[in-house]
Amino acid sequence: MVSINGLAAMRPLFSFGLISDVQYADIPDGSSFLGVPRYYRHSILVLQRAIKEWNTHQKHKFVINFGDIVDGFCPKDQSLSTVKKVVSEFEMFRGPVYHMIGNHCLYNLPRNKLLPLLKIQTHDDRAYYDFSPVPEYRFVVLDGYDISAIGWPQDHPKTLEALKILREKNPNENKNSPTNLEGLERRFLMFNGAIGKEQMEWLDGVLSEATKLEQKVVVCCHLPLDPGAGSEKGLLWNYDEVVNLIHRYDCVKACLAGHYHKGGYSIDSHGIHHRVLEAALECPPGTDAFGNIDVYDNRISLVGTDRMKSTDMHFNPPS
């Protein structure tokens, strides 16, 4: 016989839905530079099925979209209407939806037009924020394109800083090409970005506060933060600095990301789980890639649908 306390331990504190890299566009199917098929029109059907599933269960506290809702190949005269179309699909979810920006979002719209549509309400066009759905947990949404050659005005200091990094780190004329770059240096591509000094200071403050409140933290970023969870070509430029900061605290339990469409999973040297989500864009017709996470006191459990793999992530006891 299971005790009442035992039953409570088996029940999640809450759950939430998640999806990444929808990259919808009203264009014929195509493929990535590596020849992986991409199903531009089908991806919105994956999102619609996800919303229907999440609403049917009526148990999810919120939904997180991990970025890249519209593809870079979307005709630019359709960018605004296409972003609005995908956002309106997300708004069919009966609860809060939290967005983050990805490179494909920024190929379509500058961040000052994009952020209001995604209801990311910050000042100075920042796209990082945090929220606490229950007292025991805090979610941190990072802006991986804080320092970026895309999304900011051409003469913006953050654009200029990004171009300087690319000039120093990537000798190729095409800054999206990793040719002659070795190992982890292959991350210095224009479709990636970095977290700036101000955001790093903000993150430090959030993690410090979460520690005082004895909260467990889940970090969310479009760009992966651990080389073991995906391709070195898809990493945040200064992932090492961010992870070093995270490792100064015991509160961060998992880092979730998109961008690397194949998906991946690793546990780093400090026992933090890194889960990169499989892309909705690369689902052949009739298949899906979305999921929900059940959140417990000592673990989070990703229940994947179809091409999104389920992953049980148990936390290390506090040191």
Side-chain angles (χ1 to χ4, degrees):
M1 185 172 167
V2 180
S3 68
I4 290 171
N5 285 344
L7 280 172
M10 288 163 61
R11 270 200 300 265
L13 296 169
F14 64 96
S15 67
F16 64 95
L18 74 177
I19 194 168
S20 190
D21 297 87
V22 173
Q23 289 182 223
Y24 169 71
D26 187 11
I27 57 174
D29 294 343
S31 60
S32 70
F33 292 115
L34 298 174
V36 179
R38 292 184 165 181
Y39 304 95
Y40 297 108
R41 291 187 175 120
H42 177 254
S43 66
I44 202 166
L45 303 181
V46 177
L47 174 60
Q48 288 167 351
R49 289 193 289 266
I51 301 288
K52 185 179 178 186
E53 176 81 7
W54 295 329
N55 281 336
T56 299
H57 282 286
Q58 295 185 343
K59 68 171 187 173
H60 302 312
K61 211 167 180 66
F62 55 88
V63 160
I64 304 184
N65 156 44
F66 280 79
D68 279 1
I69 62 173
V70 172
D71 195 83
F73 282 132
C74 176
K76 293 302 161 278
D77 61 342
Q78 295 173 26
S79 288
L80 182 60
S81 62
T82 306
V83 170
K84 285 180 174 176
K85 178 176 179 172
V86 182
V87 168
S88 71
E89 293 294 342
F90 273 104
E91 287 175 350
M92 299 300 285
F93 174 68
R94 293 195 283 270
V97 177
Y98 297 98
H99 293 277
M100 65 197 79
I101 57 173
N103 51 309
H104 281 266
C105 307
L106 297 170
Y107 296 149
N108 279 278
L109 293 174
R111 61 170 60 220
N112 64 345
K113 286 196 169 66
L114 182 68
L115 297 189
L117 294 173
L118 299 179
K119 296 185 171 56
I120 299 176
Q121 295 169 332
T122 59
H123 59 91
D124 295 336
D125 291 330
R126 293 176 190 160
Y128 53 90
Y129 58 95
D130 67 304
F131 63 97
S132 180
V134 297
E136 299 93 330
Y137 271 86
R138 185 179 297 218
F139 285 71
V140 173
V141 177
L142 297 178
D143 177 1
Y145 293 89
D146 184 10
I147 306 299
S148 171
I150 47 176
W152 297 103
Q154 284 298 298
D155 58 352
H156 196 283
K158 288 177 185 280
T159 308
L160 300 176
E161 186 178 345
L163 291 172
K164 181 172 181 285
I165 291 168
L166 287 169
R167 273 196 306 274
E168 289 171 359
K169 299 288 188 180
N170 187 333
N172 296 304
E173 189 175 337
N174 173 8
K175 298 302 180 189
N176 275 326
S177 169
T179 303
N180 298 322
L181 297 178
E182 297 290 332
L184 292 170
E185 295 300 299
R186 291 162 70 83
R187 72 187 186 274
F188 291 106
L189 304 173
M190 194 180 278
F191 56 65
N192 299 326
I195 283 172
K197 184 171 178 285
E198 236 178 86
Q199 187 177 176
M200 289 287 280
E201 289 169 356
W202 169 83
L203 176 60
D204 193 14
V206 170
L207 298 183
S208 174
E209 186 184 349
T211 301
K212 286 175 193 152
L213 295 171
E214 298 184 345
Q215 292 176 319
K216 295 176 180 72
V217 175
V218 177
V219 172
C220 305
C221 184
H222 180 68
L223 291 165
L225 302 178
D226 187 71
S231 165
E232 65 270 9
K233 295 198 298 284
L235 285 168
L236 186 80
W237 289 343
N238 60 339
Y239 78 91
D240 45 352
E241 288 175 51
V242 176
V243 169
N244 285 341
L245 171 57
I246 286 170
H247 285 169
R248 284 174 30 205
Y249 296 91
D250 282 335
C251 57
V252 177
K253 303 302 176 186
C255 297
L256 307 176
H259 195 55
Y260 178 56
H261 291 184
K262 192 176 171 183
Y265 173 59
S266 64
I267 303 174
D268 72 21
S269 59
H270 283 57
I272 296 171
H273 299 267
H274 294 262
R275 182 65 171 88
V276 178
L277 304 172
E278 291 81 1
L281 172 67
E282 292 181 2
C283 293
T287 66
D288 289 313
F290 61 86
N292 65 267
I293 286 186
D294 293 330
V295 179
Y296 301 84
D297 185 57
N298 64 345
R299 67 185 168 101
I300 62 173
S301 183
L302 169 57
V303 181
T305 300
D306 205 354
R307 292 168 65 88
M308 186 172 286
K309 296 177 183 125
S310 296
T311 315
D312 225 16
M313 297 171 254
H314 290 263
F315 306 153
N316 285 346
S319 57

